[in-house]
Each structure stands twice: as C-alpha cells, then as structure tokens.
C-alpha cells in the first residue's frame, strides 16, 4: 500500500495541473482573488461615498441651501428646470432633488413632509444617509426654535422627541465580535481549497487510470483491493490536507502583509485574536472533512467512464458540498447537539465558534467523532466501489 502511495504521489507531483490546484491556488491565486475583490469593493465604496452629488431644491430656502453647501461632497445647483423631476435627474443635470412643501415656513408647529428624489439603483452611494447628515443642522435649528416657542426646556424636548433612549452595550469581547464577522467566511474558503486540492488528483487516479488503461495493470498486481484503494485514497487525502494547510498559512501571511502595508487595521486585529492552538484545532477539524472529500471524489471518479465525465460529476458534487456551508452561515444556526451531527455544517459551525472563542469542548468532541464516523463510512463505500467489477469496467 505504501509503495503504491509513493508511486501515485510521485506521478501526481509530475503533473502540472495537480501542482497548480494543490499548491499554487491556495498559496497565491485564492488570496489574490479574494484580497483583490476586498480591496476593489472597499475602493469602490469609498469612491462612491466621496463622489460629488449635485443637489437641487424646489424652494431655495437659505438655511437649507447653506446646509447643502456645507455638506460633505454635496453641490447646490440652481437654474435647473424641476417641472419634471424624473427627467431632470435622468438628464444628469442634477443627482438629487429635495422637494420642500410650499406651505413650509419654519414657524408652524407641525411636522413637514419633504421628499428626496434620486436614482436608488446604486445602493453604495448612500444618498439618503448623506442628505440626512447634511440637513441635520436644519433639523436641530427647527427643534430648538419650536422648543423655544413652546417654552420647553432641553430635557423636556429630548423626553418628548425620544421618551426612551436605548444605548447599545455589547457584552461580546473583541475576539467574539470579530469571530462572528469572519467566522462564516473562513470555513467557506478552507473547505473550497480542500475541495480543489482533492478534485484533480481524484479524477486522475480514478477516471484518468481508466482512460489510460492502466487500472487493469494495477488490479493484476499482487496488492489486495483494499490496499490499492487506501493507497489512492491517501494520495488524494494528502493533497486535500496539504491544500488546506497551505491556505491557512497563506491567508495568515497575506493578512499580515496586506494589513501592515495598506493600513487595514481591522484585518490585523481580526487575525491577531486567533492563536496558534486555534489554527491547529481548525486544521484538526479539517482532517476528517478532507477524508470525506477524498473518499467521495475517488468513488465518483472511479464510477465515471472518462476524465470529462468525472469533471462533470465533480461540478455537481461541489454544489452538494457547498450547500451545508450555506446553511452554517444562515442567521440563527448555531452549534448544538443537533447540528453537531450534521456533516460539513457541524465543522463550519465549530470553526466559527472557535474563532469567536466560544467553542464548547464537549461539542468539539462530538463534531470530531461524528465526522470521523461519516468519513469512515465513505471510505468503506469507496473500497466497496473498487471491489465492484461493474463499476470498474463500465
């Protein structure tokens, strides 16, 4: 078995496609892709927030016009025909129109209904937030004026405006807060690299052997069918674990480099809360998951008639493996005795709790035990597939 393992592993290392999926992707491609997407999103968001907005008023009241002029990245434009507001906005002459009622004089003690017209298709511009912020001085001025007319003191005015003031006091520490934010994303990346690390070797050692006609030679060798399967399984398992290990190391290094060079303090704080022991536990939980991926993919690969057919099956299989990860990211889904028995989802939830620093050791043991049992069942199924002539010679 170990001789077969060394032989298959050596052949895979000579294959450029395997090296690319097992080593280059987790080290360079994935961090660059996700890092690039994160940087691009942050850049576009900042660009949209600082984009100059041309604001027109249906009534050029001085206090409102002053507020718009003093607003951040807002420009008060005049002389635009507002008889058709939609047409004015679509023409690009103005981005936002604030419609002030004709009966508003700033003196009557009644709430005035204003409308803000803009193209709401682009959510990242946060137009309403920016207009509300700009008009905050006008709101404050009117509040003070009305309170003065009614003879209401500042405490009484605050009590009338907001009878009960709720102040958010979070009991979560820094690690728990950061773990909640990144805990759903990290397992997704790790599982994806495990899948990529197992997929290409599994296809090559199953369907690839069939297509090249070398599987029959292996079956004739003086090695038991179980040893043959375990040898192939260990090769796929090794590349899957190696991909996960390289991903963890690569993301840690890239997070520190990007955080220091681009002053992304949140990223540095997020990874600073995770210790070496935590990362070791993450890798420990990924081991049975990698065994599940390796055994299932090897079974599917040996069932396929050709390399191409195996690739088609793998595409569908990826969706099956990703669905439990989506469930783990749903709000309200937390690790408990029930979810600890659901494969893939249980490990994703355990990694999330581990990053938050709230993982229960009893549940961790249950997750590892249930995942090991399931991995053992899939490995047995893989051995069963290799023992079936009707599967090997379809």
């Amino acid at each position: 078995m170990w001789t077969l393992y060394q032989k298959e592993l050596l052949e895979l290392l000579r294959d450029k496609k395997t090296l690319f999926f097992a080593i280059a992707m987790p080290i360079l491609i994935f961090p660059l892709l996700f890092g690039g997407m994160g940087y691009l999103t942050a850049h576009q968001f900042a660009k949209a927030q600082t984009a100059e907005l041309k604001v027109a008023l249906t009534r050029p009241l001085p206090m409102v016009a002053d507020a718009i002029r003093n607003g951040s990245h807002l420009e008060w434009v005049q002389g635009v025909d507002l008889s058709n507001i939609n047409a004015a906005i679509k023409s690009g002459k103005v981005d936002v129109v604030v419609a002030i009622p004709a009966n508003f004089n700033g003196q009557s003690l009644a709430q005035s209904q204003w409308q803000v017209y803009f193209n709401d298709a682009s959510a990242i511009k946060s137009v309403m937030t920016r207009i509300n912020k700009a008009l905050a001085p006008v709101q404050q001025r009117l509040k003070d004026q009305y309170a003065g007319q009614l003879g209401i003191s500042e405490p009484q005015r605050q009590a009338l405006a907001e009878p009960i003031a709720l102040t958010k006091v979070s009991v979560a520490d820094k690690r728990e807060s950061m773990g909640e934010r990144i805990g759903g994303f990290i397992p997704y990346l790790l599982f994806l690299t495990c899948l990529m690390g197992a997929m290409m070797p599994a296809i090559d050692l199953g369907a690839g052997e069939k297509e090249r006609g070398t599987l029959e030679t292996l079956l004739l060798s003086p090695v038991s069918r179980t040893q043959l399967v375990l040898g192939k399984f260990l090769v796929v398992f090794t590349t899957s674990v190696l991909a996960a290990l390289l991903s963890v190391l690569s993301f840690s290094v890239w997070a520190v480099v990007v955080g220091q060079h681009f002053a992304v303090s949140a990223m540095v704080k997020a990874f600073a809360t995770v210790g070496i022991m935590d990362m070791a536990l993450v890798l420990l939980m990924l081991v049975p998951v990698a065994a599940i991926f390796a055994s299932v993919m090897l079974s599917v690969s040996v069932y396929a008639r050709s390399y191409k057919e195996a690739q088609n099956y793998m595409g569908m299989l990826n969706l099956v493996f990703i669905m439990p990860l989506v469930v783990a990211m749903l709000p309200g889904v937390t690790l408990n005795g029930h979810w600890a028995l659901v494969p893939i989802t249980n490990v994703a939830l355990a990694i999330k709790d581990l990053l938050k620093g709230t993982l229960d050791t009893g549940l961790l043991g249950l997750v590892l035990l249930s995942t090991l049992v399931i991995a053992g069942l899939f490995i047995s199924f893989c051995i069963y597939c290799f023992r079936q002539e009707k599967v090997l010679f379809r």
Side-chain angles (χ1 to χ4, degrees):
M1 182 182 76
W2 292 110
T3 305
L4 180 65
Y5 171 75
Q6 291 173 5
K7 170 250 179 194
E8 299 283 19
L9 191 61
L10 187 62
E11 286 187 0
L12 280 177
L13 291 176
R14 290 172 180 164
D15 185 2
K16 292 180 180 177
K17 284 184 294 186
T18 302
L19 287 177
F20 177 77
F21 278 97
I23 297 177
M25 287 194 75
I27 290 181
L28 293 173
I29 308 299
F30 281 156
L32 284 177
L33 280 177
F34 288 106
M37 284 297 295
Y39 173 76
L40 187 62
T41 303
H43 176 71
Q44 287 299 111
F45 190 78
K47 185 179 176 183
Q49 290 289 307
T50 55
E52 202 75 19
L53 286 181
K54 292 180 285 189
V55 183
L57 305 174
T58 55
R59 293 179 59 199
L61 300 178
M63 64 175 176
V64 182
D66 289 343
I68 295 298
R69 272 196 294 257
N70 295 330
S72 176
H73 302 289
L74 299 180
E75 178 189 358
W76 178 40
V77 294
Q78 305 178 70
V80 179
D81 180 14
L82 298 179
S83 56
N84 186 335
I85 294 177
N86 288 350
I89 293 175
K90 287 181 179 177
S91 69
K93 294 178 181 175
V94 63
D95 298 309
V96 184
V97 175
V98 179
I100 304 172
N103 59 356
F104 175 75
N105 55 17
Q107 302 297 325
S108 60
L109 298 176
Q111 188 182 54
S112 182
Q113 301 290 332
W114 297 15
Q115 284 80 42
V116 180
Y117 293 84
F118 62 98
N119 187 338
D120 195 26
S122 178
I124 62 173
K125 289 185 177 179
S126 304
V127 173
M128 280 302 291
T129 302
R130 294 169 66 180
I131 295 297
N132 269 322
K133 189 175 179 181
L135 294 181
V138 178
Q139 295 264 24
Q140 187 62 42
R141 177 177 171 179
L142 292 175
K143 285 179 184 177
D144 295 340
Q145 182 180 317
Y146 294 162
Q149 290 177 12
L150 294 173
I152 299 174
S153 64
E154 178 61 19
Q156 290 172 327
R157 185 177 65 79
Q158 288 183 355
L160 286 172
E162 196 175 11
I164 298 175
L166 299 177
T167 303
K168 177 183 174 182
V169 181
S170 176
V171 297
D173 57 20
K174 183 173 67 176
R175 173 174 177 174
E176 191 173 348
S177 300
M178 296 307 296
E180 182 65 30
R181 292 171 190 169
I182 65 173
F185 186 59
I186 295 294
Y188 182 83
L189 293 179
L190 294 176
F191 282 41
L192 194 62
T193 51
C194 269
L195 274 173
M196 292 295 111
M199 188 169 67
M200 293 308 293
I203 293 176
D204 189 69
L205 297 183
E209 292 267 19
K210 273 187 175 182
E211 206 165 66
R212 291 192 296 272
T214 54
L215 186 60
E216 292 84 348
T217 308
L218 274 178
L219 294 174
L220 292 173
S221 63
V223 180
S224 72
R225 195 67 60 90
T226 302
Q227 287 178 319
L228 187 150
V229 179
L230 289 179
K232 288 178 177 290
F233 162 78
L234 286 175
V235 173
V236 181
F237 173 73
T238 301
T239 56
S240 182
V241 172
L242 181 65
L245 176 63
L246 292 175
S247 310
V248 172
L249 295 175
S250 176
F251 276 111
S252 302
V253 172
W254 278 98
V256 172
V257 171
V258 172
Q260 289 181 345
H261 286 270
F262 294 93
V264 186
S265 58
M267 186 179 293
V268 177
K269 288 178 182 176
F271 282 87
T273 58
V274 183
I276 295 176
M277 185 56 71
D278 298 325
M279 299 312 295
L281 279 176
V282 169
L283 288 172
L284 178 65
M285 284 189 281
L286 286 176
V287 169
V289 173
I292 292 175
F293 290 165
S295 54
V296 172
M297 288 192 165
L298 197 55
S299 303
V300 171
S301 177
V302 78
Y303 176 79
R305 292 187 180 89
S306 64
Y307 208 95
K308 187 176 180 181
E309 187 178 330
Q311 284 181 318
N312 292 335
Y313 289 150
M314 295 299 173
M316 291 184 286
L317 201 58
N318 287 345
L319 292 177
V320 174
F321 284 133
I322 286 174
M323 287 307 295
L325 290 174
V326 176
V327 173
M329 288 192 279
L330 293 177
V333 178
T334 56
L335 186 62
N336 53 31
H338 170 71
W339 285 110
L341 301 176
V342 180
I344 310 297
T345 304
N346 55 1
V347 176
L349 291 173
I351 291 176
K352 186 177 180 180
D353 280 3
L354 183 64
L355 295 175
K356 290 165 62 179
T358 58
L359 181 61
D360 183 272
T361 52
L363 288 176
L364 172 64
L366 188 57
V367 168
L368 287 173
L369 181 63
S370 63
T371 312
L372 281 171
V373 170
I374 292 169
L377 291 175
F378 277 118
I379 293 171
S380 301
F381 177 72
C382 186
I383 295 173
Y384 169 80
C385 290
F386 269 83
R387 285 178 173 171
Q388 301 301 309
E389 302 291 329
K390 60 183 179 182
V391 174
L392 293 177
F393 302 106
R394 287 177 68 233

